[in-house]
Amino acid sequence: MTPQLVDPFQRAITYLRVSVTDRCDFRCVYCMSENMTFLPKKELLTLEELDRMCSTFIGLGVEKLRITGGEPLVRKGIMTFFQSMTRHLDSGALKELTVTTNGSQLSRFATDLYAAGVRRVNVSLDTLDADKFARVTRWGRLAQVLNGIDAARTASLRVKINAVALKGFNEDELLALTEWCATEDMDLTWIEVMPMGDLGNEDRIGQYWPVSDVRVQLAQHYTITDIATRTGGPARYVRLEETGQQIGFITPLTHNFCESCNRVRLTCTGQLYMCLGQEDMADLRAPLRAFESDLLLTEAIHKAIALKPKGHDFDYSRQRADGQVSRHMSHTGG
Ligand code: SAM
Ligand code: SF4
C-alpha cells in the first residue's frame, strides 16, 4: 500500500505511539515527581475516542501501534480498547499491536493481551535489586514486576526489557541484567536518560550514563556484532555472540537518528506530537469531538504530519540540557 502519511522530509509515518493515560502506579525518579497532579478525567480521550483516533490513523497507513502511558495497564477498561484493535489485526491493516509497561499489572492482563493479538511487550526494569528498585520507582515493588514478567512469558508474550542507564545506579548491574535476560531468553535495550520535564531536585546530568559507554563495557565481556535491525526509531542493535542475545541502545542524545523517523506520538488528551524532542503539537481532540464523521480529524492529521520537524535539539555536550522540553515523559509516553 502506498503510504498516505508522508512528511515534508519524505518519511512515511507508519508507527503511532499512543499514551492512554497520564497516571501511573509508580513514580520513577527520572519520569515523575512524587506529587503529581493528574489530568481531570474529562480531558482524557474516552476508550471509544481512542478507538476512533487509532482507527483513523490505521486507515491512513499506520501499521504499528504501541500503547503506552503513564502506565497503560492501570487505565480502567483498557482491555476493551485492546480487544477493539483486534479487528485491525484481523483485517491485516495493522501489522503489530504492542505495549510498553512497567509490568505491575501483567499478572492480571497477560492472557487477555495475548488473546487480543499482542505478541510482544516491553517491560521497563532498571535493576534486579529489590531495594534499588523501590528507590528508583519510589512506589514499585520488584516481586510484582517479576511475577508479571513470568505471567507474560507463560501467556506466550515475547518480553523485551528496557533499562534506563543511570550513572552510579545500575552501572554495576550491567552484567547481571545481561545474564538474567540471556537466561530468560529476553532481549534488552538500554535507554539514555532524557531531559524531560522539570523534576525538581533530580540532577539529570549527574544521572547521565551514555549508552556508548554501556557498549564499551559490554565489549569487555562479550563479543559484540553490529546487526542491521532497524525499527525506524532511535535504537541501534548488537548481538552478543556468547549468548545470542540482541541488545539495543537508544541514544537520542549522543546521536541524531531522526532521518529515518517513522513515528508520531498521541497523548491521552489527543495531542499529536510530531517529535519527542520538540514542543510542537497538533490538537486532534477538537476535530474529533467536533464532528461525528472522521473528516475533520483526517484533515487535521494531514496538516500535522506536514509540520513534522526534521529532528530534535537535545544536546548535553555543553554540560547543560539544551533542547530540554518541559513536559514529562509520561505525557508523551516515551
Ligand atoms: N509506564 C510504562 C513503562 O514504564 O514502561 C510506559 C510509559 S514510560 C514513560 C516509557 C519508557 O520511558 C520507560 O521505559 C521509561 O523507563 C522511559 N523513561 C521515562 N522517563 C525517561 C527519561 N527521562 N529518560 C529516558 N527514558 C525515560
Ligand atoms: Fe510510571 Fe513508566 Fe514513568 Fe515509571 S517510567 S513513572 S512506570 S510512566
Side-chain angles (χ1 to χ4, degrees), residues 29-102:
V29 294
Y30 44 72
C31 179
M32 292 193 184
S33 52
E34 182 125 38
N35 302 307
M36 293 288 288
T37 310
F38 294 110
L39 293 162
K41 218 172 144 202
K42 66 173 190 327
E43 294 289 319
L44 297 195
L45 297 177
T46 64
L47 294 174
E48 293 74 20
E49 287 172 336
L50 278 169
D51 183 330
R52 259 183 80 194
M53 239 359 142
C54 292
S55 300
T56 304
F57 272 97
I58 293 164
L60 292 170
V62 160
E63 295 180 334
K64 179 171 171 180
L65 270 188
R66 177 172 295 281
I67 308 307
T68 173
E71 174 45 42
L73 301 184
V74 300
R75 168 116 193 216
K76 209 167 157 207
I78 195 63
M79 280 308 130
T80 315
F81 168 76
F82 278 99
Q83 284 149 7
S84 75
M85 288 299 105
T86 310
R87 69 184 191 278
H88 298 302
L89 288 167
D90 291 344
S91 78
L94 186 62
K95 304 273 185 285
E96 195 174 29
L97 177 61
T98 58
V99 48
T100 298
T101 171
N102 65 23

Side-chain angles (χ1 to χ4, degrees), residues 4 34 40 67 79 91 101 195 218 226 253 280 301-302 322 326:
Q4 298 181 53
E34 182 125 38
I67 308 307
M79 280 308 130
S91 78
T101 171
L218 269 181
D226 282 298
L253 301 177
D280 249 10
I301 294 173
H302 278 294
D322 277 5
S326 57

Side-chain angles (χ1 to χ4, degrees), residues 23-32 69-71 101-102 124 137 329-330:
R23 286 162 200 262
C24 187
D25 51 346
F26 291 2
R27 290 290 182 278
C28 302
V29 294
Y30 44 72
C31 179
M32 292 193 184
E71 174 45 42
T101 171
N102 65 23
S124 305
T137 61
M329 197 69 146
S330 52

